Amino acid sequence: MCLVKMKSYKKELWFNTKNKIEFINITREVENAVYESKIKEGLCLVNAMHITSSVFINDDEQGLLYDFEKWLEKLAPKNLDYKHNLTGEDNAHAHLKRTIMGREVIVAITNGKLDFGPWEQIFYGEFDGQRKKRVLIKIIGE
Amino acid sequence: MCLVKMKSYKKELWFNTKNKIEFINITREVENAVYESKIKEGLCLVNAMHITSSVFINDDEQGLLYDFEKWLEKLAPKNLDYKHNLTGEDNAHAHLKRTIMGREVIVAITNGKLDFGPWEQIFYGEFDGQRKKRVLIKIIGE
Amino acid sequence: MCLVKMKSYKKELWFNTKNKIEFINITREVENAVYESKIKEGLCLVNAMHITSSVFINDDEQGLLYDFEKWLEKLAPKNLDYKHNLTGEDNAHAHLKRTIMGREVIVAITNGKLDFGPWEQIFYGEFDGQRKKRVLIKIIGE
């Protein structure tokens, strides 16, 4: 148990992916932000700031990332008759895919580090890329 | 970096939707709660207090909300033989739909405002409405 | 509104399920952690530390838990040709199932208690069990 004053820290990460759909391991960038924050005990929020992309935690294994992409295409196919696409967009499917994968993760900070299990890695999931998009890191604690 | 004492603030929102399934933009109500809390740096939790409804972040575009409803009906159809419905309920599908959409969101507060990307809006997603249900807003920070 | 110093508290729960797929109600264990933390106002993070398991909130009704298992098998079947399984694993489906159910929940703490709606219960969702796995509880607040 610790009893101390609160700190907060904010950082943004920027992305502009080569492909429309891409998964990028951002664990190192989040670790750097935790280090910069000097916060030893607290919570770290990492969220996509766009509604066609995702932040999620899973395994950094290339086969699995391929499976995720194929699976998401099955659950939320690109080429269906979406009403949203009548606005001139073609990214309705990206809104749905991001919903499956989630907008955000919260990770505990213990002893100044991300308090992770053995295989947890943080990913940025892009579903409508090839343009500038952001992720927000917000840390509060001691 | 700021170094200050912690505050907390709580507020409940009540809903009683006209339809069984409905999406309601609650961004303004959450902004009001952040303003009332006087918290400048922190985290804002917004969660459904019921297990057949959802709080999620996406785009406030009517076509997209229509797509969400149709998509959820495909992934978790109302009229299947669910064991849960043997209890006399007819809302098993609503538990599943809420699972896809998520129970809660966490939004960073920076400079006294929700720290949002360009299109982020907070929605209450009702999947078994026509009765009184609640959303919890809990803010902690400085 | 309260204005106080911050505390943090951490606890791990261990599991070794009899079956590959299992849902375990851990509400009591989380309540105990909140009591031990002596935190009265704050946020409680509960997350799976493994990438083939989940922490989620829903109803403790056996028929519904059966429906969840059947539904997840339909959305993410065990026996498909997953690339991940070429690594010698057979748990690609468990990574997908956990993604649907979510890695974590955040629950508000108000007056020293989990601030829950009428039917909310916290579950550990195991999708690749029969081995030792952990859940992290991290609480910050006053």
Side-chain angles (χ1 to χ4, degrees):
Chain A
M1 174 76 68
C2 54
L3 184 66
V4 291
K5 290 187 176 179
M6 208 198 96
K7 292 181 205 173
S8 73
Y9 184 77
K10 172 191 167 163
K11 188 173 188 176
E12 290 181 359
L13 307 177
W14 285 83
F15 301 90
N16 193 341
T17 59
K18 214 176 86 179
N19 303 305
K20 277 284 183 187
I21 296 186
E22 221 164 282
F23 299 120
I24 299 168
N25 189 330
I26 59 171
T27 312
R28 191 63 56 88
E29 284 78 3
V30 179
E31 285 172 344
N32 289 346
V34 172
Y35 178 79
E36 290 156 19
S37 75
K38 298 193 173 68
I39 289 171
K40 301 297 179 200
E41 300 291 326
L43 296 178
C44 177
L45 166 70
V46 189
N47 71 263
M49 300 186 78
H50 299 259
I51 52 199
T52 52
S53 54
S54 182
V55 171
F56 65 95
I57 286 177
N58 220 300
D59 192 4
D60 195 350
E61 198 278 303
Q62 289 308 305
L64 182 66
L65 297 174
Y66 175 93
D67 293 332
F68 266 121
E69 186 172 343
K70 201 172 148 190
W71 179 63
L72 290 167
E73 184 58 28
K74 197 172 65 177
L75 291 186
K78 184 169 196 289
N79 296 314
L80 288 185
D81 283 338
Y82 296 110
K83 285 232 178 186
H84 181 57
N85 292 350
L86 299 176
T87 64
E89 296 281 0
D90 64 352
N91 66 4
H93 74 107
H95 292 266
L96 307 183
K97 283 170 174 137
R98 111 69 175 258
T99 299
I100 297 275
M101 298 306 288
R103 168 185 177 263
E104 78 222 3
V105 299
I106 313 278
V107 184
I109 297 172
T110 304
N111 291 328
K113 299 220 154 108
L114 297 172
D115 200 336
F116 263 161
W119 299 100
E120 290 188 285
Q121 296 283 309
I122 308 174
F123 285 87
Y124 175 66
E126 176 63 84
F127 303 109
D128 186 30
Q130 300 176 334
R131 48 189 174 134
K132 285 176 91 173
K133 291 167 89 168
R134 277 179 296 160
V135 159
L136 176 65
I137 304 172
K138 184 92 181 188
I139 305 169
I140 70 168
E142 163 284 317
Chain B
M1 175 76 65
C2 54
L3 183 66
V4 291
K5 289 188 177 178
M6 207 199 96
K7 290 181 207 173
S8 72
Y9 184 77
K10 172 189 166 164
K11 188 174 190 176
E12 290 182 1
L13 308 176
W14 286 82
F15 301 89
N16 193 344
T17 60
K18 212 176 85 181
N19 304 304
K20 279 284 183 186
I21 296 186
E22 222 166 279
F23 299 119
I24 300 169
N25 188 331
I26 59 171
T27 312
R28 190 61 57 88
E29 284 78 3
V30 179
E31 285 172 346
N32 289 346
V34 172
Y35 179 77
E36 290 156 20
S37 76
K38 299 193 174 67
I39 288 171
K40 300 300 177 200
E41 300 292 325
L43 296 178
C44 177
L45 167 70
V46 189
N47 70 264
M49 298 185 80
H50 299 259
I51 52 196
T52 52
S53 55
S54 180
V55 172
F56 66 94
I57 286 176
N58 220 300
D59 193 5
D60 195 351
E61 198 278 303
Q62 290 308 305
L64 183 66
L65 296 174
Y66 174 92
D67 293 331
F68 266 122
E69 187 172 342
K70 201 170 147 191
W71 178 62
L72 289 167
E73 184 57 29
K74 196 172 64 176
L75 292 187
K78 185 169 194 293
N79 296 313
L80 288 186
D81 283 338
Y82 296 109
K83 286 231 177 187
H84 181 58
N85 292 350
L86 299 177
T87 64
E89 296 281 0
D90 64 351
N91 65 5
H93 75 107
H95 291 267
L96 307 183
K97 281 168 175 138
R98 111 72 173 257
T99 299
I100 297 275
M101 298 307 287
R103 168 186 177 262
E104 78 220 7
V105 298
I106 313 276
V107 184
I109 297 172
T110 303
N111 292 326
K113 300 221 155 109
L114 296 172
D115 200 336
F116 263 162
W119 299 100
E120 289 188 285
Q121 297 283 309
I122 308 175
F123 286 88
Y124 175 66
E126 177 62 83
F127 303 108
D128 186 29
Q130 299 176 334
R131 48 186 173 137
K132 286 176 88 173
K133 291 167 88 169
R134 279 179 294 161
V135 159
L136 175 66
I137 304 173
K138 183 93 182 187
I139 306 170
I140 71 168
E142 163 286 316
Chain C
M1 173 78 63
C2 55
L3 184 66
V4 290
K5 289 188 175 177
M6 205 199 100
K7 290 182 208 173
S8 73
Y9 184 76
K10 172 190 167 162
K11 188 172 188 177
E12 291 181 1
L13 307 177
W14 286 84
F15 301 89
N16 192 343
T17 60
K18 213 176 86 181
N19 302 304
K20 277 286 182 185
I21 296 187
E22 221 165 281
F23 299 120
I24 299 169
N25 188 330
I26 58 171
T27 312
R28 189 63 55 88
E29 284 79 3
V30 178
E31 285 172 346
N32 289 345
V34 172
Y35 178 78
E36 290 156 18
S37 75
K38 299 191 172 70
I39 288 171
K40 300 299 179 199
E41 299 292 326
L43 296 177
C44 176
L45 166 69
V46 189
N47 71 264
M49 299 185 80
H50 298 260
I51 51 197
T52 52
S53 54
S54 181
V55 172
F56 65 95
I57 286 176
N58 220 299
D59 192 3
D60 195 350
E61 197 279 302
Q62 290 308 306
L64 183 66
L65 297 174
Y66 174 91
D67 294 332
F68 265 121
E69 187 172 341
K70 203 172 146 190
W71 179 61
L72 290 168
E73 184 57 29
K74 196 171 67 177
L75 292 186
K78 185 169 195 290
N79 296 312
L80 288 186
D81 282 338
Y82 296 110
K83 286 233 178 186
H84 181 57
N85 292 351
L86 298 176
T87 63
E89 296 280 0
D90 64 352
N91 65 6
H93 75 107
H95 292 266
L96 306 182
K97 282 170 175 139
R98 112 70 174 258
T99 299
I100 298 275
M101 298 306 288
R103 168 186 177 264
E104 79 221 4
V105 298
I106 312 278
V107 184
I109 297 172
T110 304
N111 292 328
K113 299 221 156 111
L114 296 172
D115 200 336
F116 264 161
W119 299 100
E120 291 188 286
Q121 296 284 309
I122 309 174
F123 285 88
Y124 175 67
E126 176 63 83
F127 303 108
D128 186 29
Q130 301 176 333
R131 47 185 174 138
K132 287 176 88 174
K133 292 167 87 169
R134 278 179 295 161
V135 159
L136 176 65
I137 303 173
K138 184 93 183 187
I139 306 169
I140 72 168
E142 164 284 318

